[in-house]
Each structure stands twice: as C-alpha cells, then as structure tokens.
Amino acid sequence: MVRDVEMRIDIFNKVIELAEKKRKLIDKGQSYSNEDMELNNYLDRLTFEDIKVLQTVMYLGRDKDYDSKMSSAEIYREQRGFFDNEGWQRKEIEAGQMSEKTPLDRYIINGLDILNIDRTYKYAKGIEAYKSNLGIFEKSYVLLIVTPRDKFPESTDNKLVNEFLKGIFPNKDKYIGIYEESRDEILQDVYFRMRVFPLIQDKYNYANMRVIYRANKQEIESYFAVKEFYDQVSKCVSESRALYKGLDKATSFLDKYPLNDFDVKIVRSERYDDGCVFLDEMSFENSDGYHFEYFFCSN
C-alpha cells in the first residue's frame, strides 16, 4: 500500500480532470487560458506535501524508471527519497513544474498504474461510505474483538470463554454499578459475560452448525476510519484528516494482528438494553493476543 498516495486520491483525480481538459484544448489548437488558470488555482490551494506527492507520482509516470521487482510502497519510497535528497524548491515553483507539462494527466495516470493505485479507492468516498461498509445507519455501538486464531469464544465452550475473559480482563476484581453508579454491584467480567458476550459469540444456525463471521481488511479499515472520525470531530479536525488518521491506525492494527494469525470480529449493536451502555464503566487490559475495544456512533 502507498498510503501517502491513496489518502490523496481525490486530489489526484481532480488534477487529472483539470489537466485533461487543458491538454485536449491544446491538442485541438484552441485557447486554454481559463483551464490553465483553473489548474494553477487548484494546485495553489494544496499543501506543499500534496504537491510533493503529486510530483513524485508524475515523474514516476513520465520516466517509468523503476524496479518492477519492488513493491509499490518500495517504488514510491525510492522515487520520493530521490527528490527529498535532491531538495525541493518553493511550493509555487514545484507546482509550476507540473502545470506546465501538457501530458500531466497521462503522466499521473501512468504513475498511479505503476503503483497499482485504484483511482476509485474508497478514501474519496467519505464517512458515509465507511459507515455503510459496517452497516451503520443509526446510533450504534460498534465492537471490535480479537483472539488468537481458532480461539474465538462460543457459549458452549467454557474454556474458550474463560480464556477470552482473562485476556481482556486480566484484573477481574473491578465492580460496576448498573442501578446506582456509585455502588459496587457486580463484577465487570460477570456482567460482560451475561450481557455483552451474547452479542459477540459465534452463533449456530437451525442445523446446529457453527456460523462463523470474521472481519476482512476493508471492514477493519472502515471500523478505524469511523472510530477516528467520531473521536476527532469534536476537536475541529477535518473529515478527511480524521479518516486518514483512522486508516493509518488500521494499518498498525493489521501489522499487530495479521488476519492469518488472529480471528477478528466486528459487531454492531443498535439496542440500548443489551449491556453496551455500561462499557464505559469497564476497564479493559488486553493481553495474550486478546483485544477488545469499541466506540459509539452517535448518528
């Protein structure tokens, strides 16, 4: 994956669109001053880092000088490292070096193809697309559960259940109050097993066959994107920036919990009487390859 490029795919698509309009007029021998101004104005609004990423891909697509045995991430890092070592001039100069190139759109498309970047990548779709990936259409608790491979708990296997609870509650001796917050009424792991565990356990169908659902990479990315959005929205962080940060966290999560070695499940609950409302009162201390976390999607 080439995160620096993927997180800016909407910018790449816009530059391609503007550059293509300009190039087609040039090819026809027609005036392109308005289109040239539109492209330059757009580039002027971008950050210097945006310009550097765009230019790296542009020159990759123009020169096509790369080692095909390398991964996309390695190709990008080598190309970007070359320009970083050479040194950058002022932002407006670097932007001008792009806008003056008539085949700019083709260079960028070639560069994206070399990096195997999908121009319809979901970064450009926004928060609603990620929520849709998770089936979130109203206020919901969204739970993320991780266990070592083939250790996911089910109600008929007390050993698996106990190992899971020990993994997320190493220190079980904490009480929570469910009727009066100030009172120690019930152990948190006992309440979790009674009211939350039924939501996350593997289910059985009418033929008594175990129904196994595991989260895929896209769903995990969506989970962290949406979670980060709701964590950051109150801090005046832009939607796109929050989503980018969430996707970075998804990458770190998958590095720590590769899907070949761990079972990952995402569960959504829209009910308010299932015990999720008391998750904030609990203390989770993930260990031994077990992990539990959650967030509340407020709308």
Side-chain angles (χ1 to χ4, degrees), residues 71-86:
S71 69
S72 296
E74 290 170 334
I75 292 171
Y76 177 81
R77 281 198 297 269
E78 183 176 74
Q79 183 84 358
R80 175 62 187 267
F82 171 79
F83 290 114
D84 286 341
N85 289 333
E86 287 289 307

Side-chain angles (χ1 to χ4, degrees), residues 10 23 25 30 40 68 79 108 123 146 213 228 231 262:
D10 52 344
R23 176 181 56 78
L25 291 174
Q30 298 178 2
N40 280 294
S68 61
Q79 183 84 358
I108 291 177
Y123 273 105
V146 182
Y213 153 75
E228 192 67 17
D231 284 347
F262 293 87

Side-chain angles (χ1 to χ4, degrees), residues 74-207:
E74 290 170 334
I75 292 171
Y76 177 81
R77 281 198 297 269
E78 183 176 74
Q79 183 84 358
R80 175 62 187 267
F82 171 79
F83 290 114
D84 286 341
N85 289 333
E86 287 289 307
W88 299 92
Q89 301 187 65
R90 297 193 311 275
K91 172 191 163 184
E92 57 269 24
I93 295 176
E94 302 292 354
Q97 290 182 2
M98 289 193 294
S99 63
E100 68 185 16
K101 291 175 172 56
T102 300
L104 174 60
D105 58 314
R106 291 174 174 168
Y107 291 160
I108 291 177
I109 291 172
N110 289 342
L112 293 175
D113 288 343
I114 290 170
L115 297 174
N116 294 313
I117 302 295
D118 181 1
R119 287 177 57 198
T120 64
Y121 196 72
K122 60 185 176 297
Y123 273 105
K125 296 181 180 178
I127 184 64
E128 294 304 322
Y130 292 106
K131 289 170 65 176
S132 178
N133 287 342
L134 298 175
I136 299 174
F137 303 105
E138 55 186 299
K139 294 180 179 180
S140 305
Y141 282 94
V142 187
L143 318 179
L144 177 72
I145 309 98
V146 182
T147 73
R149 191 74 168 183
D150 299 323
K151 294 287 188 179
F152 204 90
E154 54 181 276
S155 60
T156 59
D157 192 324
N158 281 329
K159 181 180 178 182
L160 287 177
V161 176
N162 289 332
E163 288 178 349
F164 170 69
L165 292 175
K166 182 180 179 181
I168 66 171
F169 294 117
N171 179 14
K172 295 184 178 181
D173 296 332
K174 177 182 177 179
Y175 288 82
I176 61 173
I178 57 176
Y179 297 108
E180 293 185 29
E181 186 176 341
S182 60
R183 294 180 60 188
D184 293 339
E185 296 173 332
I186 187 171
L187 285 166
Q188 62 178 356
D189 60 302
V190 175
Y191 184 84
F192 187 96
R193 182 167 187 165
M194 292 171 52
R195 300 299 304 277
V196 182
F197 179 73
L199 295 171
I200 66 178
Q201 66 183 345
D202 284 339
K203 303 295 194 299
Y204 290 80
N205 65 16
Y206 66 92

Side-chain angles (χ1 to χ4, degrees), residues 61-74:
R62 186 194 71 172
D63 301 335
K64 301 180 182 178
D65 183 14
Y66 65 98
D67 185 348
S68 61
K69 296 179 181 179
M70 298 171 68
S71 69
S72 296
E74 290 170 334

